[in-house]
Amino acid sequence: MKDKLEAKDLSVSFGTVQAVKHVSCSLRSNVITAIIGPSGCGKSTLIKSFNRLNDLVEGARTTGAVLLDGEDVYANGFNVVELRRRVGMVFQKPNPFPKSIYDNVAYGPRIHGTKAKAELDPIVETSLKQAALWDEVSDRLTASAFDLSGGQQQRLCIARALAVQPEILLMDEPCSALDPLATARIEQLMVDLKREYTVVIVTHNMQQAARVSDFTAFLYLGELIEYGPTRQVFERPTAELTENYLTGRFG
Amino acid sequence: MNVKRLKERVYFTLFRVATAAVLVFLSLMIWVFLSNGVGVLNWTFLTDIPRRGMTEGGIFPAIVGTLYLTLGAIVFALPVGVASAIYLVEYAGEGRVARAINAAITNLAGVPSIIHGLFGFGLFVNLLGLGTSLLSGSLTLALLILPLVISASREALLSVPRAFREGSLALGATKWESIRHNVLPYAVPGILTGTILAVARAAGETAPIILTATFFFRPAIPSSLLDGTMALATHIYYMATQHHSILLVRPLTYGAVLVLLGLVLSLNLVAILIRTRHRKGKKW
């Protein structure tokens, strides 16, 4: 296992508020890393700094470095568009486009230059299969994505992200808007996906982190308090703050 | 307690009377125009040129002139308006410059139409040498409706959820690709509705085109953009105030009023239809 993504003294601030403070950690490839912590601790801001989506927020300032395969994505001249193709993202609330199921998945490949239907068809099928949605939608690919249930919409968004063949998949509380059954499906899916992808998931659900992740990072008030193999973090945390959080004394 | 109830009654009655007054005036207006003008409405009136010093014949050149002028206004104002709105919403951010531009646009919308007319007369007719022409009139009307088109387009763009933009950017689309594929298509109905309402207003404007595009009498369809024209709004003005026998042509004037009213109301109706259809189809 090698390091895929590395944060080096990473800080993000919005105006005068510092959301992420001097975080350094490296994420291994082909594992699931969970980022846990109470609401407002900077979890989402941290993963959105990995694909530079914080750039969209007016007044956001990032210092330090994020190395993708050893290259700083914040370096001058780094191709942000290419970065976002390599580092895919699934959002908290399912956000399919108001297009057909097929067009949602095909959107990414299309903007990256794959236009022919003969080439797109297999990409759409594979992506939907990887997202465990194919069996439910294969007979109605032209239906609107908005006709799907919330859980299906989220899996569609995962398929959409996979269709551009990213190397890393960032998931920002992907199950927070879903029921327990849909959540279980997505969790199973994450475990399947780590064979080919590096998965980073933000969750406020500690059980979820314990169930699916290999590594866990605990973030508190923007600082990285603890980071290590999930079992170790959950069973023998080194910081008192981590233990207090995991045992439900605050959060 | 009784005083409270009495007050309640008085205020509600006041509000009701105010509403009723509006309805009364509107009905009165429509009644006056219909009763006086409907008699002259027939196929010849709509399709013939004015004859015998505009005391007989139809208003066809004025109808066509109004259609050409409004169409010209759309052609110039729509692309510029939409492009400006995209810049303001998607690129300009929320800084001081953007706020200043927005304030300027709001103020521009409040400029009286006669001033637009004078400006168009000075710039297009004289300085650029376009003369009294369809082109000068269309450009002047375009300037007049530009702030309205920009405001409508801004609202339409802002109503498209942020999540569409983020979802697209997160897939490695460029900003323009995201706007082109996942913002603009969903803003089109709103942009169209606003533009049609703006154009409906432009169709009835008199001052801007009287100075830049129209003639008292030009009984031919303009054949080039540099030709002058007749138009409904100015035709009504001339017939009501400048004609050699105003009283004689009064029924014809009312007829022209009805045609203009019908045109403007149909445009508004189209805008409303687009809006309701869009609301039904919208799922986010």
Side-chain angles (χ1 to χ4, degrees):
Chain A
M1 285 197 288
K2 63 180 175 66
D3 289 343
K4 182 73 192 168
L5 193 72
E6 189 181 355
K8 270 187 169 173
D9 194 28
L10 182 72
S11 298
V12 185
S13 54
F14 303 105
T16 55
V17 185
Q18 202 171 12
V20 171
K21 298 170 188 164
H22 306 286
V23 168
S24 294
C25 62
S26 33
L27 308 182
R28 307 254 179 97
S29 64
N30 296 96
V31 299
I32 300 178
T33 305
I35 301 173
I36 61 168
S39 303
C41 69
K43 302 183 296 275
S44 293
T45 305
L46 179 60
I47 66 162
K48 283 184 178 172
S49 65
F50 295 158
N51 66 347
R52 288 188 61 171
L53 217 55
N54 287 327
D55 292 12
L56 305 187
V57 183
E58 194 134 326
R61 219 174 75 84
T62 308
T63 56
V66 172
L67 308 181
L68 176 63
D69 290 332
E71 219 185 325
D72 184 9
V73 306
Y74 283 94
N76 267 339
F78 193 90
N79 187 343
V80 183
V81 168
E82 176 62 12
L83 166 73
R84 296 196 183 122
R85 196 205 54 72
R86 291 172 63 190
V87 184
M89 182 154 194
V90 176
F91 295 81
Q92 194 167 346
K93 202 170 155 259
N95 64 342
F97 303 130
K99 305 174 189 291
S100 72
I101 294 170
Y102 185 97
D103 287 340
N104 261 277
V105 183
Y107 178 69
R110 274 184 183 139
I111 53 170
H112 294 299
T114 311
K115 308 267 182 196
K117 199 171 152 23
E119 285 175 79
L120 284 171
D121 283 349
I123 296 177
V124 170
E125 183 173 341
T126 315
S127 307
L128 284 168
K129 277 180 176 159
Q130 280 184 307
L133 188 60
W134 176 253
D135 295 338
E136 291 159 60
V137 300
S138 60
D139 56 345
R140 49 173 176 144
L141 292 174
T142 54
S144 165
F146 281 69
D147 294 341
L148 299 174
S149 72
Q152 288 173 323
Q153 285 187 11
Q154 194 60 301
R155 277 180 280 146
L156 178 66
C157 291
I158 294 173
R160 186 176 73 184
L162 298 179
V164 295
Q165 297 175 301
E167 296 153 32
I168 300 177
L169 192 61
L170 306 173
M171 304 176 103
D172 186 4
E173 302 195 31
C175 303
S176 65
L178 304 182
D179 64 55
L181 236 72
T183 301
R185 289 213 68 160
I186 305 264
E187 287 182 6
Q188 181 55 49
L189 184 57
M190 285 188 248
V191 175
D192 295 341
L193 288 176
K194 76 171 173 185
R195 264 174 300 180
E196 289 179 59
Y197 305 92
T198 301
V199 180
V200 185
I201 174 179
V202 160
T203 177
H204 59 235
N205 179 337
M206 285 175 276
Q207 287 75 31
Q208 182 169 58
R211 276 194 302 264
V212 301
S213 72
D214 306 293
F215 285 80
T216 296
F218 173 58
L219 217 59
Y220 184 69
L221 295 178
E223 286 180 56
L224 182 64
I225 305 296
E226 183 133 9
Y227 175 54
T230 297
R231 274 189 74 146
Q232 188 190 309
V233 171
F234 274 79
E235 286 168 14
R236 285 171 281 113
T238 53
E240 202 186 331
L241 211 52
T242 317
E243 187 164 358
N244 288 347
Y245 179 68
L246 292 173
T247 51
R249 255 169 250 169
F250 71 98
Chain B
M1 201 62 210
N2 269 336
V3 179
K4 273 192 145 185
R5 278 183 61 179
L6 188 68
K7 268 189 174 173
E8 187 87 348
R9 283 241 174 105
V10 169
Y11 279 113
F12 270 125
T13 313
L14 271 176
F15 298 149
R16 246 182 234 136
V17 169
T19 315
V22 174
L23 288 177
V24 166
F25 279 116
L26 188 68
S27 328
L28 205 64
M29 208 162 87
I30 292 177
W31 169 246
V32 168
F33 294 141
L34 268 181
S35 59
N36 288 298
V38 85
V40 301
L41 282 190
N42 56 44
W43 190 243
T44 317
F45 184 69
L46 295 175
T47 55
D48 198 9
I49 58 165
R51 291 175 196 283
R52 288 180 184 249
M54 302 209 288
T55 56
E56 281 173 29
I59 55 166
F60 187 59
I63 297 176
V64 174
T66 291
L67 291 178
Y68 279 178
L69 283 169
T70 48
L71 204 68
I74 299 184
V75 168
F76 292 120
L78 189 60
V80 177
V82 172
S84 317
I86 291 176
Y87 170 74
L88 286 172
V89 173
E90 311 286 347
Y91 292 93
E94 285 151 20
R96 213 178 272 171
V97 180
R99 278 208 302 276
I101 298 175
N102 283 325
I105 290 167
T106 313
N107 283 318
L108 200 59
V111 172
S113 60
I114 180 70
I115 294 177
H116 279 281
L118 278 170
F119 177 75
F121 180 70
L123 179 65
F124 303 126
V125 178
N126 289 333
L127 193 64
L128 297 181
L130 302 175
T132 302
S133 64
L134 277 179
L135 191 57
S136 299
S138 297
L139 286 167
T140 308
L141 286 180
L143 284 181
L144 182 87
I145 64 170
L146 198 53
L148 305 176
V149 175
I150 294 177
S151 306
S153 308
R154 267 180 48 120
E155 294 309 312
L157 290 169
L158 285 170
S159 75
V160 178
R162 253 184 90 89
F164 294 1
R165 297 173 176 83
E166 286 185 342
S168 176
L169 289 168
L171 289 167
T174 61
K175 195 161 181 170
W176 169 241
E177 282 166 342
S178 304
I179 294 166
R180 167 79 189 72
H181 298 292
N182 282 311
V183 178
L184 214 45
Y186 311 118
V188 163
I191 293 173
L192 278 185
T193 308
T195 304
I196 294 172
L197 289 177
V199 152
R201 199 193 135 196
E205 281 293 346
T206 316
I209 53 172
I210 221 166
L211 288 163
T212 55
T214 61
F215 293 123
F216 176 77
F217 183 66
R218 190 181 188 284
I221 306 303
S223 57
S224 112
L225 279 173
L226 293 174
D227 279 353
T229 181
M230 293 179 81
L232 285 168
T234 50
H235 180 65
I236 293 166
Y237 166 73
Y238 296 134
M239 295 282 271
T241 62
Q242 314 289 303
H243 197 271
H244 57 79
S245 46
I246 291 168
L247 289 177
L248 179 71
V249 297
R250 182 126 310 162
L252 292 174
T253 313
Y254 278 119
V257 166
L258 280 181
V259 174
L260 178 59
L261 212 54
L263 183 82
V264 171
L265 292 182
S266 330
L267 279 173
N268 287 346
L269 191 70
V270 170
I272 292 169
L273 284 177
I274 293 179
R275 183 151 53 192
T276 29
R277 260 194 68 163
H278 171 60
R279 284 219 178 113
K280 268 186 210 151
K282 184 167 152 174
K283 287 175 180 164
W284 56 90

